[in-house]
Amino acid sequence: EPEVTQTPSHQVTQMGQEVILRCVPISNHLYFYWYRQILGQKVEFLVSFYNNEISEKSEIFDDQFSVERPDGSNFTLKIRSTKLEDSAMYFCASSKARTNQETQYFGPGTRLLVL
Amino acid sequence: DQQVKQNSPSLSVQEGRISILNCDYTNSMFDYFLWYKKYPAEGPTFLISISSIKDKNEDGRFTVFLNKSAKHLSLHIVPSQPGDSAVYFCAALSGGGADGLTFGKGTHLIIQP
């Protein structure tokens, strides 16, 4: 069964450094998403991406974040200058269409630790 | 502002019995609801969903009930199996054109032998 994959599974970085989290969505899906879960808290929506542009973003998704689909398969989340509070699990998800028609399927996550 | 609330952080059920997980919401714009299951160190796995035009959806051992007037939904798992032990998240989507799911904090279901 097709699945969303994410790399790396773990990332440790120093505060102020840039990180790029990578995702390969399910191949015939058109909508892509990033979510995060800070330890002990709920999963929070960051951004959605469709047709090579941001479709929606939350207030968490500020100027230090960016997303890109550099080729036909990868979807990336870049954090320009990491802060301690960016430490979290980051989940990528994809769907064939908007969720009230199609379900969002999640990847296994990247655990980001900012020191 | 908790628009989706799962008030039970944990629930313990005996194997073979029914597990009932509850979820309440406050946003009247939500029109699609999903349940996800999550094991440690893994991403959320989709279980079952329901549109606001329905009041029940069933898939094997899993049934979701929606009470729109009470803004309440529940997930029934019957019979409960040891592999069902996980954290269950309720999530909702607004019909107002939003893409992002709003999640509850989750309920940790423990199935006891």
Side-chain angles (χ1 to χ4, degrees):
Chain A
E1 187 173 321
E3 57 184 22
V4 177
T5 59
Q6 290 185 243
T7 55
S9 58
H10 295 79
Q11 173 99 41
V12 180
T13 190
Q14 295 290 323
M15 189 170 59
Q17 294 296 304
E18 174 184 287
V19 295
I20 298 175
L21 309 183
R22 291 182 168 80
C23 168
V24 179
I26 295 173
S27 62
N28 62 345
H29 285 189
L30 300 177
Y31 285 78
F32 315 115
Y33 313 84
W34 283 101
Y35 290 81
R36 78 173 185 191
Q37 185 180 26
I38 295 171
L39 188 63
Q41 298 187 23
K42 60 182 180 179
V43 177
E44 300 174 290
F45 168 73
L46 292 178
V47 66
S48 60
F49 193 85
Y50 170 71
N51 200 26
N52 279 322
E53 60 183 24
I54 290 174
S55 174
E56 183 194 356
K57 59 183 180 179
S58 72
E59 58 189 24
I60 303 168
F61 193 88
D62 61 22
D63 290 344
Q64 69 161 339
F65 291 96
S66 62
V67 289
E68 194 178 30
R69 188 155 164 82
D71 53 43
S73 59
N74 290 284
F75 178 51
T76 62
L77 174 69
K78 183 191 289 187
I79 309 175
R80 245 176 289 280
S81 177
T82 50
K83 305 172 191 167
L84 296 176
E85 54 265 36
D86 293 328
S87 295
M89 280 290 287
Y90 287 81
F91 295 107
C92 174
S94 70
S95 64
K96 286 182 187 176
R98 281 198 65 245
T99 306
N100 59 3
Q101 299 156 27
E102 293 287 342
T103 299
Q104 291 183 22
Y105 293 91
F106 284 76
T110 293
R111 182 173 296 282
L112 176 65
L113 178 60
V114 182
L115 301 175
Chain B
D1 175 28
Q2 282 193 70
Q3 297 187 64
V4 177
K5 301 177 188 178
Q6 293 178 257
N7 291 320
S8 299
S10 66
L11 175 68
S12 184
V13 174
Q14 239 179 343
E15 183 180 354
R17 308 291 283 265
I18 184 171
S19 296
I20 300 175
L21 297 106
N22 293 303
C23 177
D24 297 292
Y25 62 96
T26 56
N27 188 340
S28 300
M29 294 294 290
F30 288 147
D31 69 351
Y32 193 67
F33 305 90
L34 306 92
W35 284 94
Y36 286 84
K37 172 181 175 180
K38 187 181 179 303
Y39 294 117
E42 294 185 12
T45 301
F46 170 72
L47 275 177
I48 193 167
S49 60
I50 188 165
S51 166
S52 60
I53 62 173
K54 295 186 176 181
D55 54 19
K56 177 182 173 181
N57 189 25
E58 192 171 351
D59 184 2
R61 296 187 298 117
F62 303 93
T63 304
V64 56
F65 296 92
L66 176 62
N67 182 335
K68 280 180 63 179
S69 60
K71 293 191 175 70
H72 176 85
L73 61 155
S74 61
L75 174 68
H76 293 212
I77 307 172
V78 56
S80 300
Q81 298 174 353
D84 295 332
S85 294
V87 178
Y88 288 77
F89 291 99
C90 172
L93 185 71
S94 172
D99 295 338
L101 295 170
T102 301
F103 280 83
K105 287 188 173 182
T107 297
H108 185 193
L109 176 64
I110 302 161
I111 305 301
Q112 297 191 335

